[in-house]
Amino acid sequence: MTRFAWASFIVLYFAGAASAQVAAIDAKPLPPATKRITASSDECAVWRREQAFARSVEAHDARAFQSFLHAGTVFNAGTADADRGSDEVAKSWAEVVEGKTIALRWRPGIVHIGGESTIAISRGPYILQRVQAGTSTYRVGMYQSVWVRDSRDGVWRVLFDGSATTGQPMDDRAAAERWVEEQAMSDCAS
């Protein structure tokens, strides 16, 4: 290899490495909701569990993440490629929890408990960021989770989780946050 070719290789290599580092995962949590609605104390308990669940991912804490899962949990619920069981979900979400090339930030919004006091539904906005080839892409949407209160220890755990809407592409994090602020409602204090 000629000296010029070698120097060109070095310059291109480091330029590529630098550009691969341009985009980074934005670790900020989502902004709090400004719209308020009324909720019961039990609904707020689920809301706080959902918030702590989201924070386990923000903190990259795989053990804490798995502690929120019901043993028979189903993620990507309602799809042909659903993940079943807490171990499989933890494995399939490892890259998301790690947060190096993909980050999912969500916040609880509305939580409802119906006629069965041990089942709750939680719905709220999310931002999904992916970093590929040094560039970040953003999508926003609404998630939906079904929580059940364990009769043995009284702890709320996620039984079903999935997207409630088709994700929409956003230009950047600021646009994604504006969308979240427009969608976000909170029935409990953050």
Side-chain angles (χ1 to χ4, degrees):
M1 187 180 272
T2 68
R3 193 178 310 190
F4 177 75
W6 182 250
S8 296
F9 170 78
I10 296 291
V11 168
L12 289 174
Y13 175 80
F14 283 109
S19 69
Q21 300 301 320
V22 170
I25 293 295
D26 188 341
K28 293 184 308 194
L30 295 186
T34 55
K35 299 174 200 167
R36 303 307 252 181
I37 58 175
T38 304
S40 71
S41 62
D42 283 341
E43 289 166 336
C44 285
V46 174
W47 190 95
R48 284 188 292 280
R49 285 287 287 171
E50 184 79 62
Q51 183 180 50
F53 186 39
R55 288 181 176 162
S56 74
V57 174
E58 292 169 10
H60 313 294
D61 189 337
R63 186 180 307 201
F65 172 81
Q66 193 163 5
S67 75
F68 288 94
L69 305 177
H70 185 279
T73 194
V74 177
F75 271 48
N76 295 321
T79 68
D81 60 344
D83 296 318
R84 296 175 175 275
S86 62
D87 290 340
E88 185 176 328
V89 168
K91 183 179 175 183
S92 71
W93 272 59
E95 186 179 4
V96 175
V97 175
E98 185 180 57
K100 293 191 177 169
T101 60
I102 184 171
L104 178 61
R105 301 291 184 254
W106 76 92
R107 67 171 327 285
I110 297 172
V111 174
H112 287 144
I113 296 174
E116 178 55 54
S117 65
T118 61
I119 301 172
I121 190 163
S122 170
R123 185 176 169 137
Y126 70 82
I127 295 176
L128 178 68
Q129 178 191 7
R130 290 184 188 272
V131 176
Q132 294 174 309
T135 303
S136 282
T137 59
Y138 295 88
R139 293 187 81 74
V140 297
M142 299 294 280
Y143 77 87
Q144 189 162 288
S145 300
V146 174
W147 291 75
V148 294
R149 185 174 13 211
D150 192 317
S151 61
R152 295 168 296 171
D153 60 11
V155 174
W156 289 95
R157 292 189 177 85
V158 180
L159 182 60
F160 296 105
D161 184 79
S163 184
T165 61
T166 302
Q168 302 174 41
M170 290 286 143
D171 292 335
D172 54 28
R173 173 70 187 225
E177 285 188 5
R178 282 191 299 277
W179 184 89
V180 165
E181 288 173 11
E182 291 170 5
Q183 308 304 312
M185 285 187 222
S186 179
D187 42 7
C188 303
S190 40

